[in-house]
Amino acid sequence: MTSHKPPGAADQQLIEHAARHGFTITVKQLAGWRRAGLLPGNIPGGGLGQGRGSTSTPPPQSFDLVLALARCAGRGKRPADLALLLFAEGAAVPEATVRAAFRAAVDTGPLPGEDDAPHHGLDLDERLNQVSNGLADSGQTITLVPARARRIDERIARTLGELPAELADLDQNPDPSRLTPQDATLTAVTATLGGSVPVQDIGALLRAMSPDMPAHPIASLVETTREDVPEAAEKVLAEDGSLTFIPDGDARDLLRTLADTASLEDLAAGWRTALQVREWALDLCRRVEGELDSGQIGEAVTEWLHGRQLMSGLSVIETLRDRRWTPSKGASSALVLLFQCQMFVMLDGLVPGCQWPVLQMPGVLPPPVRDLILGKVGPQAVSAAGSADSPELQPRRPAVR
């Protein structure tokens, strides 16, 4: 007959606390949560004397935490997922466990073409050759335009007809390079492994993500940055056309560093923003489809068209790529958003007088991302300049936090 060790006084307090709130937990569960770093250990107390052992008490935060764990824990719930979900709720999950969960989210899935082959000691060119060969062998490619976005694009094109000539004239690149899905995937992987890529490649990638558009004015603006704003380009573009304020090296290392160094408040803000972006993107798709179904083109289709080649449109594409949301996806998206905030702060230092209120213009950014970034780099500039739709909008020097 198997004997079960009775719970200590401290664990008994937690078990009884859970029972009063309708949850049944066991000593084994408490021990498992502690091993996973989800629940802090009990606080040792003084000895009872006369060989009767010693006392311990639960940390104050453990009482609310065991209720949250009892409510959320279940089969198939990984400890890292629980840590992220409870952290997002405001539960007092140990900080080291939260940071480890964010860090692990960066490594959830390998890059396309990246396999288990050793790459330590290889320089960037050698790693890219390795990935390129992996892509060729496996046939892996990034989904540039998910099926739902493609259907919406096609329905809008049928409804609205050809692109206006004056809009087509804004594309200053008469003979742009056309990336295959394999080329586009390698470009994206190159940006991840090595940092920035030349603006010409960024423009080509934007064109590849809107393959049916006969003209791409936004991609053209990216490609002609050096000619359009030569003074600013001298500060932000290297000789090869890459962005100087984006660090070299594997971007995933930068995200892991952020997981270790960002404040818990920033990690929570990034998480909330990532979830809000997903909700906004899916809602936009539903609203656009509703307008197309009714034949009444309105604000949703206009919002879609405004942002299709801008960062807001890229956020929609990214959301539709990941049909199944996971906590680790939310954490990695949060880190990417915080990295973007850092890069905007660096850009603000390189180019005084950046027109941060431009980020408020329709389609430039998803509204939740706009609010997050402007909360970091330009709140005073935006409030002083007024609405981006205002004719009085003037460039101003943003305040830096």
Side-chain angles (χ1 to χ4, degrees):
M1 183 174 180
T2 303
S3 62
H4 296 279
K5 183 179 179 181
D11 281 356
Q12 185 63 41
Q13 290 183 53
L14 295 175
I15 291 170
E16 291 175 356
H17 178 71
R20 286 194 295 272
H21 289 80
F23 297 109
T24 301
I25 60 174
T26 65
V27 174
K28 182 178 180 180
Q29 282 178 300
L30 292 174
W33 291 337
R34 290 193 181 105
R35 283 195 302 273
L38 295 167
L39 186 69
N42 293 323
I43 302 171
L48 294 173
Q50 299 181 351
R52 290 181 297 164
S54 60
T55 62
S56 62
T57 56
Q61 66 269 30
S62 291
F63 290 94
D64 287 340
L65 197 48
V66 293
L67 298 182
L69 285 165
R71 174 171 49 82
C72 291
R75 290 186 179 276
K77 289 282 186 68
R78 301 184 311 156
D81 290 345
L82 280 174
L84 292 168
L85 293 170
L86 294 180
F87 170 70
E89 291 183 3
V93 182
E95 179 175 337
T97 303
V98 171
R99 293 189 183 279
F102 271 93
R103 194 165 55 247
V106 179
D107 303 313
T108 299
L111 294 172
E114 192 177 44
D115 53 23
D116 296 329
H119 55 259
H120 297 294
L122 300 181
D123 62 24
L124 178 59
D125 287 339
E126 290 170 330
R127 286 203 66 188
L128 288 175
N129 284 336
Q130 188 181 71
V131 170
S132 180
N133 292 334
L135 288 173
D137 293 340
S138 66
Q140 283 181 288
T141 58
I142 294 173
T143 302
L144 294 172
V145 187
R148 188 174 183 181
R150 186 179 293 277
R151 288 194 298 269
I152 290 174
D153 284 341
E154 291 171 349
R155 292 183 66 185
I156 291 175
R158 287 196 300 268
T159 301
L160 299 183
E162 295 184 2
L163 195 71
E166 57 269 24
L167 190 60
D169 290 342
L170 295 176
D171 191 341
Q172 300 299 308
N173 192 342
D175 189 24
S177 59
R178 301 291 180 183
L179 297 183
T180 65
Q182 291 77 15
D183 294 334
T185 300
L186 186 58
T187 298
V189 171
T190 300
T192 300
L193 292 179
S196 179
V197 296
V199 290
Q200 290 293 331
D201 291 349
I202 297 174
L205 192 56
L206 289 174
R207 293 176 185 276
M209 296 176 74
S210 302
D212 297 325
M213 289 187 65
H216 296 74
I218 301 301
S220 176
L221 282 175
V222 172
E223 294 159 348
T224 57
T225 299
R226 195 181 294 278
E227 294 78 16
D228 292 342
V229 283
E231 292 184 4
E234 284 295 318
K235 300 175 183 178
V236 302
L237 293 183
E239 290 185 4
D240 66 350
S242 60
L243 298 169
T244 58
F245 55 90
I246 295 183
D248 293 333
D250 194 323
R252 293 169 295 183
D253 291 335
L254 302 174
L255 297 182
R256 294 184 195 101
T257 299
L258 262 179
D260 290 333
T261 59
S263 69
L264 293 180
E265 292 78 9
D266 279 349
L267 290 175
W271 174 278
R272 286 194 302 271
T273 304
L275 288 186
Q276 290 165 356
V277 169
R278 183 173 181 82
E279 293 168 359
W280 165 83
L282 294 175
D283 180 64
L284 176 61
C285 290
R286 287 190 290 268
R287 290 190 291 119
V288 170
E289 290 162 344
E291 290 184 359
L292 292 169
D293 289 342
S294 68
Q296 300 295 319
I297 302 302
E299 292 181 357
V301 170
T302 300
E303 186 176 359
W304 180 277
L305 291 173
H306 278 158
R308 185 61 179 85
Q309 294 184 71
L310 294 169
M311 290 178 68
S312 66
L314 298 183
S315 293
V316 173
I317 296 298
E318 182 67 18
T319 296
L320 295 180
R321 269 198 203 112
D322 296 305
R323 298 177 61 184
R324 180 176 172 269
W325 183 89
T326 63
S328 61
K329 176 60 183 175
S332 61
S333 297
L335 293 173
V336 170
L337 289 170
L338 295 180
F339 176 72
Q340 289 177 0
C341 286
Q342 283 191 343
M343 294 306 99
F344 275 111
V345 170
M346 293 183 67
L347 178 59
D348 180 46
L350 288 171
V351 187
C354 276
Q355 297 184 46
W356 297 119
V358 169
L359 299 185
Q360 287 190 311
M361 291 180 176
V364 175
L365 289 171
V369 178
R370 175 199 63 205
D371 295 342
L372 178 71
I373 290 175
L374 292 180
K376 293 290 185 183
V377 298
Q380 295 180 21
V382 173
S383 61
S387 167
D389 298 322
S390 170
E392 292 82 22
L393 181 64
Q394 297 294 329
R396 289 179 182 269
R397 174 74 169 123
V400 180
R401 281 186 177 176

